[in-house]
Amino acid sequence: TEINLEEHFQNKIDSEIRIEPKDWMPDAYRKTLIRQISQHAHSEIVGMLPEANWITRAPTLNRKKILLAKVQDEAGHGLYLYCAAETLGVTRDETINDLHSGKAKYSSIFNYPTLTWADMGAIGWLVDGAAILNQVPLCRASYGPYARAMVRICKEESFHQRQGYELMMKLAQGSPEQKAMAQDAFNRWWWPTLMMFGPKDADSGNTELSMKWRIKRFTNDELRQRFVDVSVPQAEYLGLTIPDPDLKFNEETGHYEFGEIDWEEFWKVVKGNGACNKERIETRKKAFDDGAWVREAATAYHEKRKLREER
Ligand code: FAQ
């Protein structure tokens, strides 16, 4: 019966036994996984755009190679994640349609513009750094296909984070103009990065169940605090100033206290009204339409081979 199934399911979760695609699962578990995994996939795909904006303008051949590799990695991450979502019974077409129609969310961070080359450093260091903190615990998520996809993704994210920090270091140790460019990028990306972790725990409707189901292992505020604690010394090492006058170290708790996030801005961006939301969706739709011939050719090739095999 339904009750026994639900109990058995929760017992498996509590004993750290992975849930696999063909196992029984509550509808709400399936629904929240489809929501989170597809949102995550969309973030990887839309997340290629702000950095792709700089590939043709990278200052050296080496920087261009690194950036190209990083942006390609994000495409790969998006594709594994769409596959993981498919194991839950949604099709690729459905998830992509939801992105293009504006129904599906993706990370707020990718709706900010990349104005200077230093933004490539700030994104790698901060955005990929935040992504790793959030995703390492997801390697232990209760749903097998999601957890396994996260393992390789995290390895690649850690290269992304290092290349970003190294880029920032070069700028921070460069000419006064380069240092100013690094500080400006840091100023613009710091607060939006803190928003990546999601609303405050008190306003996070999904956390309680996601923790019970061990999809999430830490709350939004816990991960945000950890991010601030690791990033402040990194900024100090670069000689950059954290754009938060309220930031201070609390000797008793061993944590940094930080100022209030502009939640009005966060919800504005989440609801589709950030600086680049419309442009991002338009770009994705155009890429999809421009790629129609590739899908048609692949389907035609598949049909031809099937016919040949049948003969
Ligand atoms: N932006 O109840 P909660 C990357 C939504 S990293 C937009 O707390 P939850 C790598 C949330 O969906 C970025 N929407 O939700 C990369 C929910 O809406 P709903 C992607 C947000 O799920 C780097 C509502 O607010 N990473 O791509 C945001 O328990 C560089 C209430 O929130 C992931 O997706 C936001 N920031 O916790 C690529 C990680 N925050 O559906 C390229 C996996 C919240 O109820 C370049 N996801 N919302 O209407 C997660 O860990 C979780 O889904 C959270 C949100 C922590 C993001």
Side-chain angles (χ1 to χ4, degrees), residues 17-30:
I17 297 171
R18 287 262 159 85
I19 306 300
E20 296 297 339
K22 290 191 173 133
D23 295 346
W24 185 89
M25 59 185 86
D27 279 345
Y29 177 81
R30 184 184 300 277

Side-chain angles (χ1 to χ4, degrees), residues 14-298:
D14 295 342
S15 352
E16 299 287 339
I17 297 171
R18 287 262 159 85
I19 306 300
E20 296 297 339
K22 290 191 173 133
D23 295 346
W24 185 89
M25 59 185 86
D27 279 345
Y29 177 81
R30 184 184 300 277
K31 228 175 120 197
T32 206
L33 276 171
I34 292 174
R35 177 186 66 77
Q36 177 167 329
I37 299 172
S38 61
Q39 172 184 304
H40 194 164
H42 299 326
S43 304
E44 300 281 357
I45 297 296
V46 176
M48 295 164 75
L49 300 174
E51 286 167 288
N53 176 37
W54 280 90
I55 292 173
T56 56
R57 292 175 287 167
T60 68
L61 182 60
N62 250 334
R63 291 290 178 197
K64 195 192 195 80
K65 281 181 350 199
I66 294 169
L67 190 58
L68 202 57
K70 177 185 191 296
V71 172
Q72 282 182 349
D73 285 351
E74 311 298 359
H77 301 173
L79 297 182
Y80 314 145
L81 288 167
Y82 283 129
C83 289
E86 283 173 321
T87 66
L88 291 156
V90 280
T91 65
R92 185 83 57 110
D93 281 345
E94 284 171 295
T95 37
I96 291 180
N97 273 338
D98 286 349
L99 172 69
H100 294 176
S101 72
K103 188 176 151 207
K105 295 187 170 75
Y106 58 88
S107 184
S108 50
I109 193 75
F110 303 116
N111 294 305
Y112 292 83
T114 41
L115 304 179
T116 72
W117 173 251
D119 290 22
M120 300 304 98
I123 290 180
W125 167 35
L126 300 170
V127 176
D128 286 272
I132 296 171
L133 275 182
N134 165 273
Q135 289 172 15
V136 165
L138 291 174
C139 296
R140 293 188 292 125
S142 57
Y143 187 58
Y146 191 31
R148 287 188 290 270
M150 280 300 126
V151 175
R152 176 158 165 198
I153 292 180
C154 285
K155 286 185 184 159
E156 293 179 346
E157 299 291 21
S158 98
F159 149 67
H160 298 170
Q161 197 269 350
R162 275 150 194 269
Q163 69 82 35
Y165 193 70
E166 194 262 351
L167 201 167
M168 283 305 256
M169 191 131 65
K170 278 280 181 324
L171 291 176
Q173 293 169 352
S175 65
E177 288 84 357
Q178 286 172 318
K179 185 163 186 194
M181 203 192 257
Q183 180 68 52
D184 168 66
F186 185 36
N187 293 348
R188 285 181 290 105
W189 289 94
W190 175 252
W191 290 102
T193 303
L194 295 188
M195 295 176 194
M196 283 176 73
F197 294 93
K200 275 196 284 217
D201 290 351
D203 299 321
S204 165
N206 299 301
T207 293
E208 195 186 336
L209 273 175
S210 288
M211 297 280 283
K212 178 176 166 218
W213 287 331
R214 302 198 187 177
I215 298 170
K216 287 168 95 162
R217 300 269 171 170
F218 299 98
T219 69
N220 300 356
D221 286 334
E222 284 167 353
L223 290 174
R224 189 168 14 245
Q225 181 66 54
R226 191 175 296 177
F227 177 79
V228 172
D229 289 342
V230 302
S231 300
V232 172
Q234 292 173 353
E236 283 168 354
Y237 185 77
L238 292 173
L240 298 180
T241 310
I242 290 109
D244 178 357
D246 296 326
L247 187 93
K248 61 170 191 290
F249 189 68
N250 182 325
E251 296 283 349
E252 257 164 55
T253 63
H255 294 294
Y256 283 93
E257 289 168 3
F258 52 98
E260 184 70 11
I261 288 169
D262 183 348
W263 293 111
E264 218 170 285
E265 175 181 319
F266 171 74
W267 290 114
K268 190 180 93 180
V269 178
V270 171
K271 288 183 179 142
N273 301 312
C276 301
N277 294 61
K278 289 189 182 63
E279 181 189 328
R280 300 288 186 238
I281 295 296
E282 284 312 310
T283 307
R284 284 311 314 157
K285 279 205 242 171
K286 183 172 183 307
F288 187 78
D289 293 343
D290 289 351
W293 71 272
V294 179
R295 294 188 296 278
E296 282 159 20

Side-chain angles (χ1 to χ4, degrees), residues 5-15 212-213:
L5 285 170
E6 191 128 18
E7 219 171 87
H8 179 62
F9 166 84
Q10 190 62 46
N11 284 340
K12 273 165 76 178
I13 302 252
D14 295 342
S15 352
K212 178 176 166 218
W213 287 331

